[in-house]
């Protein structure tokens, strides 16, 4: 069961992280501004369509984290903290396509060049 208060707190965390107001968040996600207002006030619960829009617009939001707080946010390491250099030359002129990190809880992060 979705805890509406915790879900709202996670939406606010996304907004703070991306430095978005409620209206700019609504515009970015593609929903009416009143929908965000009603959601943040606790008047309405999020629809499946809204949840899917958020996770498709914000690549750093994992579905499980958004719905029930499991996992972490943001779900990827920013370029500034990535330990590998993007320009490192690998043997035989190979280039890196992606890095996949597996965690002990069964989750993973994928980093693409």
């Amino acid at each position: 069961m979705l805890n509406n208060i915790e879900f709202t707190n996670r939406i606010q965390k996304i907004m703070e992280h991306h430095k978005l107001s409620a209206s700019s968040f609504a515009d970015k996600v593609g929903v009416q501004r009143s929908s965000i207002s009603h959601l943040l006030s606790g008047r309405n619960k999020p629809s499946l369509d809204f949840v899917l829009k958020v996770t498709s617009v914000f690549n750093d939001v994992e579905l499980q984290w958004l719905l029930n707080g499991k996992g972490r946010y943001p779900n990827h390491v920013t370029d500034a903290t990535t330990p590998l250099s993007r320009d490192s030359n690998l043997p035989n002129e190979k280039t890196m396509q992606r890095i996949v990190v597996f965690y002990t809880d069964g989750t993973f992060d994928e980093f693409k060049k």
Side-chain angles (χ1 to χ4, degrees), residues 31-40 44:
V31 297
Q32 293 183 358
R33 293 176 179 184
S34 61
S35 297
I36 297 298
S37 175
H38 293 169
L39 184 74
L40 294 175
N44 292 352

Side-chain angles (χ1 to χ4, degrees), residues 37-51:
S37 175
H38 293 169
L39 184 74
L40 294 175
S41 70
R43 178 177 173 202
N44 292 352
K45 292 187 178 195
S47 67
L48 175 60
D49 184 51
F50 173 78
V51 170

Side-chain angles (χ1 to χ4, degrees), residues 5-46:
I5 295 170
E6 291 177 7
F7 180 86
T8 300
N9 289 339
R10 288 189 287 275
I11 292 294
Q12 289 175 335
K13 187 171 184 176
I14 296 167
M15 290 168 43
E16 289 170 9
H17 179 77
H18 290 279
K19 297 179 173 88
L20 297 171
S21 65
S23 59
S24 60
F25 181 82
D27 293 343
K28 189 165 181 117
V29 173
V31 297
Q32 293 183 358
R33 293 176 179 184
S34 61
S35 297
I36 297 298
S37 175
H38 293 169
L39 184 74
L40 294 175
S41 70
R43 178 177 173 202
N44 292 352
K45 292 187 178 195

Side-chain angles (χ1 to χ4, degrees), residues 13 15 22 38 50 60 66 75-76 79-80 83 96-97 105 113:
K13 187 171 184 176
M15 290 168 43
H38 293 169
F50 173 78
D60 57 352
L66 183 59
N75 72 357
H76 61 77
D79 290 340
M96 181 175 37
Q97 282 186 317
D105 65 355
K113 186 170 182 178

Side-chain angles (χ1 to χ4, degrees), residues 58-112:
F58 297 98
N59 294 328
D60 57 352
V61 177
E62 291 179 354
L63 180 62
Q64 288 298 320
W65 176 82
L66 183 59
L67 291 177
N68 53 28
K70 293 183 180 176
R72 61 187 179 133
Y73 177 77
N75 72 357
H76 61 77
V77 179
T78 61
D79 290 340
T81 59
T82 302
L84 297 176
S85 169
R86 291 177 163 252
D87 298 325
S88 61
N89 292 326
L90 298 175
N92 301 325
E93 304 267 323
K94 294 180 181 179
T95 58
M96 181 175 37
Q97 282 186 317
R98 67 183 179 161
I99 298 172
V100 180
V101 178
F102 295 93
Y103 298 99
T104 55
D105 65 355
T107 61
F108 68 91
D109 286 331
E110 182 174 356
F111 306 94
K112 293 183 179 180

